[in-house]
Amino acid sequence: MIVKAAVGNRIYFLFRRYCYILLLFLCAIPAGLIQAQTAKSRVDPQIAAKGQRASYKVTLQGVGSPQPVGGSLPKVPGLNISGSASTSTQMQVINGSMRRFVTYSFPLVGEKLGTYTIPAWDMTFGNRIIKVPATTIKVVDTDDVFNGIFQLELHLDKSSYYVGERISGKLQLLVREGVEASLSGLPEKIGDAFVQKEFKENFWKIAPEVRDGIRYDMATARLTLTAIKSGRQSLQYKVPINVRVKNRQTRFRDPFFDDFFPGRNQYKTVTLETNEKSWEIKPLPSEGKPDRFTGAVGQFEASVSFSPSQVSAGEPVNLKLQITGFGNFDRIQAPKLESTEDHKVYPPKIEFSQNTTAPEGFGTKTFEYIIIPKHEDADTLMGVPFLFFEPKQGIYVDQTQRPGEMVVLAPPAGTQITHFNEPVVHTANSKAPQEEPQDARKLLPIETNPGKWHKPGERSIWTPAFISAQITSLALISGIFIVRRRQIQLDEDSQFRRQVQGTKEMRAWKQKTEKAFASRNVEDFLDSARRTLQISVSKELSSSEAEALTFDSIREHLESQNLEEDVIHNAQALFDAADLLKFGGADAAGLNLEDLNNSLNSVLKALK
Amino acid sequence: MRHVFQSLFYILFTLSISWLSLPAKTVVEAFEEANQAYTRGDSILKKSNNPKEAENDFLTALRLYNICLEKAESPALHRNLGNTNFKLGKIGHSIYHFRQALQLSPSSEEIRANLQLARKTAKLPENKESLYEKTLEKKSPHVWKWVLAVTFWLGVAILILPKYFRIQGPVFSTLGILLLLLSMIPLWAILQSGKVRNLGIILEEDAPLLISPTPESAVANYLQPGQEVQLTLNSPSKTHIFANTATGDSGWLPKQLVGHIHP
């Protein structure tokens, strides 16, 4: 009896479990049946070459099993749409409900170039009539099929900007629907007239886009730029993408098998570039530019506060400057507050918070200074300068803040203010910190001024400037030494002076000789040659004037120098020729000028 | 297409994390931020008396100062690195940077004071200052080289040139010789400053002085942070450097445990 009851219970529980499953299944069918019957249409590919076979696809949702369809398929001049459709079904489970899609593909061939819209039409499905929406196809030349398959566009919000102004823009990458592509790197800016803020994480936003009836997947990246050069400045971007392409090497003769065994796909990297565009970048006006302007550009509001309002001398006061607005916050530098006799100022702590509820570019920048009043009379805090350029109006705005007064009390007993590198130094009577090493207190503070920077490890004292200075010094002293020594020698040594002057004169006569030789003037040549020889010899002799030297004197000198007989002969030939021409009435045409010139040169060479 | 984009975003995001963390600051910006971090840390330390609370700020300052040091150096940078390391308890590094700062700015009494304090904290014996250290070391070799150049060339000029301007008498000759003799002083200062060419500072505690330049070598002695050693710079080992201590010990030190003072 007990066994029977147990078996009965088990059957009951099994029955109950399967009843639930059956109930769920039965509920799912009407849910599918009561789905709205809708249709979508598209042409695949959207842009086809003239004569290329495409498919006009009508997808029905919520119609159950495929059935023969009817209705009047639209006729579009220029397109040949065949009525014999192939059918495919697809099931999808979305949020627990099952959906069935039935797709009818009608073969289509574009016969003429152009953009065609297949109009909306009524399709009969069993005894139901379903409205099929219109769709577009573009028929192009075979060469143009891949034109515009990828597009990279750059859009900035205005046509002109000021230097330093925040620029909002966007980079749009359009990839024609159905093309498999992926980004393979960050967008790269071309051009040095703009600086760009780093991209945030997940900076690409993707959305479908339809342009001229063609569907694209559009990725948009927001850009934040700042112009740094004035004038007409161009800006371009390039983006590398990986595109999936089919390996063209087919392994089968029949394309059916290639479709069935599609082979390996390859990814190729393509770099897209935006068209070259330029923008007018205006320099910040020099007229009315305040001296203390540090480069902030935008629309800002500044406010200042400090706390506590009552301190003892030597205790820190937090002075907070808050700048709220829109613009290039990166360019807002900390206002320079100098330490005075009344206050010691420490470098500020800088914070920036983006306004999350407002568009990008709105935010608040805070500069928090620690200021220490040095004595009880230091109750007036210094002004905090803040100036910026407002690009909409094109003016400079001065929003210098005056914090007002605070109460400064005398330092408490037992506290001694020594120097203001450390805010307050406790005396031995005051409670010393327990955990901090006592030595650390004696450590002198950091240096806030970085001083002169130089490359690490470059400490050689023999710098180029130093070496150059030594060479210059050496040259200067040597130069003075040489010049002065020569001047003294010229003053004191008549033989040296004679030689120097003789050399100068000889050079002058030699030049005349060369001139006469060039102009083929034999008379001048011989006259100059004789004088050249006379001077060359006379500068070595202390007693003779050059003009008075006869050939005999010259021969005597040449022989004393142990020169070869040929040299003496050449000198004589020159003197003889000169005498013959001048006094003997010889014909100049009968003299060989080349020989005479060679003779002169050989004598001068030997004399050197 | 969309899935491909999404998966690519994750890859790009992962990659961009490393890129974004790269220092894109200028040296001056990094220096300024490091100063702020140090001041914050110092302020916290004074308020709370708890070094742990200030540690993060000091570590930030140290990181930023080191970013600067990769690109450029200055006496202030080394001084601040010395301070930051001191606050973090890294006495060896602190002494090393104070020594570097002093090398760049020998006249700075603040750096000298901090170096002495760091040496005292490291319980190093007090340095007996040599005549050079007491006098000429207070000026940089860069100053001395110009003093040398000026006195030498002036001496040469005064010694040689007057007789070529017909100026007679012993005054100029004496003055010239005197200037040439005086130029020996800056020359000596420059030669003395070059002595630090081989100077090294022990950076970490219990740095092992090894008998041979291998990690398995027996240890001859252990050196303490801030201790000065003379280095043999053309050591053949890539990982170890030969060093002599002031007490006469010698051996090999792992290169990462010793900081070389650039002359």
Side-chain angles (χ1 to χ4, degrees):
Chain A
M1 188 67 188
I2 294 168
V3 173
K4 269 187 183 175
V7 170
N9 276 344
R10 193 170 175 191
I11 291 168
Y12 169 72
F13 282 122
L14 280 172
F15 174 75
R16 202 170 66 170
R17 182 193 287 178
Y18 286 114
C19 268
Y20 282 136
I21 295 168
L22 193 67
L23 196 66
L24 278 171
F25 185 72
L26 289 171
C27 288
I29 293 169
L33 289 173
I34 58 169
Q35 282 172 23
Q37 293 159 354
T38 56
K40 283 180 182 174
S41 69
R42 55 178 292 179
V43 180
D44 191 17
Q46 302 174 79
I47 297 177
K50 184 181 161 187
Q52 182 193 347
R53 186 180 159 138
S55 290
Y56 172 48
K57 291 182 176 174
V58 176
T59 302
L60 305 178
Q61 185 195 335
V63 290
S65 305
Q67 290 180 22
V69 289
S72 177
L73 197 63
K75 286 185 179 171
V76 182
L79 294 181
N80 182 3
I81 307 173
S82 166
S84 56
S86 59
T87 315
S88 64
T89 56
Q90 198 184 357
M91 302 279 279
Q92 276 185 6
V93 179
I94 299 167
N95 293 334
S97 70
M98 198 159 39
R99 289 185 187 175
R100 167 176 267 169
F101 298 91
V102 181
T103 302
Y104 295 88
S105 299
F106 300 91
L108 176 151
V109 174
E111 293 171 333
K112 286 181 185 172
L113 303 183
T115 303
Y116 300 97
T117 300
I118 302 170
W121 58 291
D122 292 330
M123 177 187 260
T124 52
F125 185 85
N127 54 358
R128 282 164 284 178
I129 294 171
I130 299 167
K131 194 84 175 166
V132 179
T135 189
T136 308
I137 179 173
K138 201 169 181 179
V139 181
V140 295
D141 271 333
T142 313
D143 294 341
D144 297 333
V145 170
F146 297 107
N147 278 355
I149 198 163
F150 307 109
Q151 294 168 40
L152 187 65
E153 296 170 357
L154 173 65
H155 304 282
L156 301 190
D157 56 352
K158 290 196 291 182
S159 58
S160 70
Y161 299 92
Y162 281 98
V163 170
E165 186 180 347
R166 183 193 169 91
I167 301 170
S168 296
K170 57 187 176 184
L171 194 62
Q172 288 182 327
L173 169 64
L174 291 118
V175 179
R176 198 185 293 164
E177 192 185 88
V179 177
E180 282 198 35
S182 61
L183 289 156
S184 73
L186 289 168
E188 191 184 326
K189 179 172 69 68
I190 307 168
D192 58 354
F194 298 83
V195 287
Q196 185 213 307
K197 208 171 176 182
E198 281 178 23
F199 288 110
K200 291 177 179 174
E201 57 191 73
N202 295 338
F203 58 91
W204 286 112
K205 302 289 174 207
I206 300 171
E209 169 83 359
V210 179
R211 287 195 183 177
D212 298 330
I214 308 300
R215 291 179 300 279
Y216 294 90
D217 285 321
M218 184 170 75
T220 305
R222 295 267 166 205
L223 302 169
T224 303
L225 298 151
T226 306
I228 53 170
K229 285 184 182 175
S230 60
R232 192 90 201 157
Q233 301 294 352
S234 67
L235 175 65
Q236 274 184 284
Y237 272 87
K238 60 181 177 183
V239 176
I241 59 167
N242 285 332
V243 183
R244 188 174 150 179
V245 289
K246 257 190 182 176
N247 194 341
R248 287 193 174 190
Q249 287 181 346
T250 55
R251 292 174 293 169
F252 304 99
R253 286 190 176 179
D254 192 329
F256 168 80
F257 293 106
D258 276 329
D259 286 343
F260 197 73
F261 303 102
R264 288 176 63 189
N265 286 311
Q266 288 182 330
Y267 280 92
K268 286 196 172 176
T269 302
V270 179
T271 302
L272 306 177
E273 274 190 26
T274 58
N275 292 332
E276 192 171 346
K277 279 189 194 174
S278 60
W279 285 265
E280 184 61 35
I281 308 299
K282 294 178 273 188
L284 294 180
S286 53
E287 194 183 334
K289 189 176 189 174
D291 292 339
R292 289 181 300 168
F293 174 70
T294 55
V297 179
Q299 289 98 40
F300 304 108
E301 280 295 328
S303 63
V304 73
S305 61
F306 63 90
S307 70
S309 56
Q310 179 175 313
V311 288
S312 299
E315 285 181 359
V317 176
N318 284 324
L319 177 70
K320 193 190 273 187
L321 172 71
Q322 210 166 43
I323 298 164
T324 306
F326 173 82
N328 234 332
F329 280 92
D330 293 344
R331 290 173 67 93
I332 302 178
Q333 294 173 15
K336 210 168 186 181
L337 300 187
E338 301 284 354
S339 292
T340 62
E341 286 180 0
D342 293 338
H343 300 101
K344 169 75 186 171
V345 183
Y346 284 87
K349 179 183 169 187
I350 304 167
E351 280 179 355
F352 174 70
S353 62
Q354 177 81 38
N355 188 341
T356 48
T357 54
E360 204 176 342
F362 284 88
T364 302
K365 196 164 188 174
T366 311
F367 301 95
E368 199 172 336
Y369 296 84
I370 295 173
I371 295 179
I372 297 164
K374 293 179 179 177
H375 49 80
E376 51 266 51
D377 296 331
D379 52 2
T380 306
L381 284 166
M382 66 278 283
V384 186
F386 175 61
L387 298 101
F388 62 93
F389 179 75
E390 209 284 312
K392 275 189 181 170
Q393 299 178 55
I395 54 165
Y396 292 95
V397 180
D398 185 350
Q399 286 201 356
T400 298
Q401 302 295 306
R402 306 276 166 202
E405 291 193 355
M406 59 183 173
V407 178
V408 182
L409 306 171
T415 304
Q416 177 192 336
I417 303 168
T418 52
H419 58 77
F420 284 88
N421 290 321
E422 302 292 327
V424 175
V425 176
H426 293 268
T427 61
N429 293 334
S430 65
K431 194 183 173 186
Q434 290 175 351
E435 293 183 38
E436 190 184 359
Q438 189 63 36
D439 283 346
R441 293 241 150 200
K442 294 175 191 164
L443 191 72
L444 293 174
I446 55 166
E447 177 63 71
T448 51
N449 180 7
K452 192 181 171 188
W453 293 103
H454 52 255
K455 282 187 180 174
E458 267 191 12
R459 297 186 193 174
S460 172
I461 60 169
W462 312 117
T463 55
F466 182 72
I467 292 166
S468 308
Q470 304 323 300
I471 293 168
T472 312
S473 304
L474 178 65
L476 190 69
I477 292 172
S478 306
I480 294 170
F481 171 75
I482 290 164
V483 168
R484 279 303 298 162
R485 199 179 67 161
R486 188 180 167 83
Q487 282 173 348
I488 289 167
Q489 207 176 357
L490 281 170
D491 285 350
E492 293 175 351
D493 188 346
S494 61
Q495 179 61 28
F496 178 70
R497 192 167 57 240
R498 190 186 178 87
Q499 276 184 351
V500 171
Q501 281 173 350
T503 305
K504 272 186 192 170
E505 279 180 41
M506 191 200 75
R507 278 187 195 144
W509 280 104
K510 182 72 175 60
Q511 276 180 358
K512 281 182 186 171
T513 314
E514 282 163 4
K515 222 174 185 176
F517 177 73
S519 62
R520 316 302 291 178
N521 187 335
V522 180
E523 201 173 335
D524 281 358
F525 173 80
L526 286 171
D527 193 38
S528 307
R530 185 162 59 179
R531 284 302 296 277
T532 308
L533 279 180
Q534 284 174 324
I535 295 165
S536 303
V537 172
S538 90
K539 72 185 173 80
E540 303 296 331
L541 305 172
S542 56
S543 56
S544 306
E545 285 300 319
E547 288 175 43
L549 277 178
T550 61
F551 178 70
D552 290 338
S553 310
I554 289 171
R555 175 197 285 275
E556 205 175 305
H557 178 72
L558 295 177
E559 282 172 350
S560 71
Q561 299 292 313
N562 293 325
L563 295 178
E564 289 174 10
E565 195 58 39
D566 281 357
V567 177
I568 298 167
H569 177 75
N570 284 337
Q572 189 171 9
L574 277 167
F575 268 75
D576 289 349
D579 288 343
L580 268 172
L581 194 67
K582 203 166 186 180
F583 307 114
D587 183 13
L591 295 169
N592 188 337
L593 203 55
E594 271 74 24
D595 286 348
L596 292 170
N597 191 42
N598 289 338
S599 299
L600 175 67
N601 288 334
S602 74
V603 176
L604 292 177
K605 194 177 173 187
L607 277 171
K608 269 186 185 172
Chain B
M1 174 77 184
R2 204 169 298 169
H3 293 295
V4 177
F5 269 122
Q6 276 174 352
S7 53
L8 199 80
F9 287 159
Y10 292 122
I11 296 165
L12 281 175
F13 173 63
T14 314
L15 287 172
S16 64
I17 286 170
S18 56
W19 294 339
L20 288 170
S21 63
L22 284 175
K25 297 178 178 70
T26 65
V27 174
V28 176
E29 284 169 350
F31 184 80
E32 187 60 34
E33 281 187 33
N35 285 351
Q36 287 163 14
Y38 180 92
T39 312
R40 268 200 310 278
D42 211 25
S43 176
I44 291 168
L45 196 61
K46 282 183 174 67
K47 279 180 195 163
S48 69
N49 296 332
N50 185 359
K52 284 276 174 197
E53 284 181 32
E55 193 179 6
N56 275 343
D57 284 314
F58 287 132
L59 286 172
T60 305
L62 185 67
R63 183 178 62 79
L64 291 164
Y65 285 137
N66 279 323
I67 288 172
C68 297
L69 194 60
E70 284 169 14
K71 296 172 183 169
E73 64 175 356
S74 74
L77 176 63
H78 279 295
R79 173 180 166 176
N80 295 0
L81 270 164
N83 274 36
T84 314
N85 277 302
F86 189 92
K87 296 277 183 182
L88 288 166
K90 295 178 171 181
I91 295 296
H93 290 268
S94 173
I95 291 172
Y96 167 71
H97 284 292
F98 285 138
R99 197 70 184 71
Q100 290 273 44
L102 204 58
Q103 195 63 28
L104 289 169
S105 176
S107 58
S108 169
E109 287 304 327
E110 289 92 344
I111 296 170
R112 204 176 294 277
N114 279 355
L115 174 63
Q116 278 175 0
L117 178 67
R119 285 181 61 85
K120 194 179 161 191
T121 309
K123 296 188 170 58
L124 291 170
E126 226 174 271
N127 256 358
K128 280 185 183 172
E129 283 190 330
S130 64
L131 178 67
Y132 163 70
E133 286 167 336
K134 280 179 192 167
T135 53
L136 303 182
E137 203 198 30
K138 311 281 180 193
K139 290 285 171 204
S140 148
H142 291 276
V143 173
W144 289 123
K145 78 179 177 191
W146 287 109
V147 176
L148 168 66
V150 170
T151 50
F152 176 76
W153 289 118
L154 206 60
V156 167
I158 289 175
L159 197 64
I160 294 172
L161 296 181
K163 76 173 180 181
Y164 291 99
F165 287 90
R166 301 180 198 284
I167 302 168
Q168 301 295 327
V171 178
F172 282 95
S173 309
T174 313
L175 192 63
I177 291 167
L178 205 64
L179 280 168
L180 284 178
L181 287 174
L182 273 174
S183 70
M184 296 297 111
I185 296 170
L187 181 66
W188 181 66
I190 290 167
L191 293 174
Q192 287 293 316
S193 73
K195 279 189 176 176
V196 296
R197 188 180 298 277
N198 298 333
L199 186 67
I201 303 286
I202 302 297
L203 300 174
E204 304 291 347
E205 273 184 40
D206 295 328
L209 190 67
L210 304 170
I211 290 168
S212 62
T214 55
E216 303 82 24
S217 164
V219 178
N221 201 352
Y222 287 96
L223 306 181
Q224 293 315 309
Q227 205 171 328
E228 289 185 0
V229 287
Q230 288 296 317
L231 303 172
T232 306
L233 295 176
N234 52 359
S235 299
S237 171
K238 283 183 180 172
T239 53
H240 293 71
I241 191 161
F242 193 79
N244 290 293
T245 68
T247 52
D249 289 325
S250 59
W252 297 87
L253 282 165
K255 278 186 175 172
Q256 70 274 18
L257 299 184
V258 61
H260 175 218
I261 302 293
H262 297 284

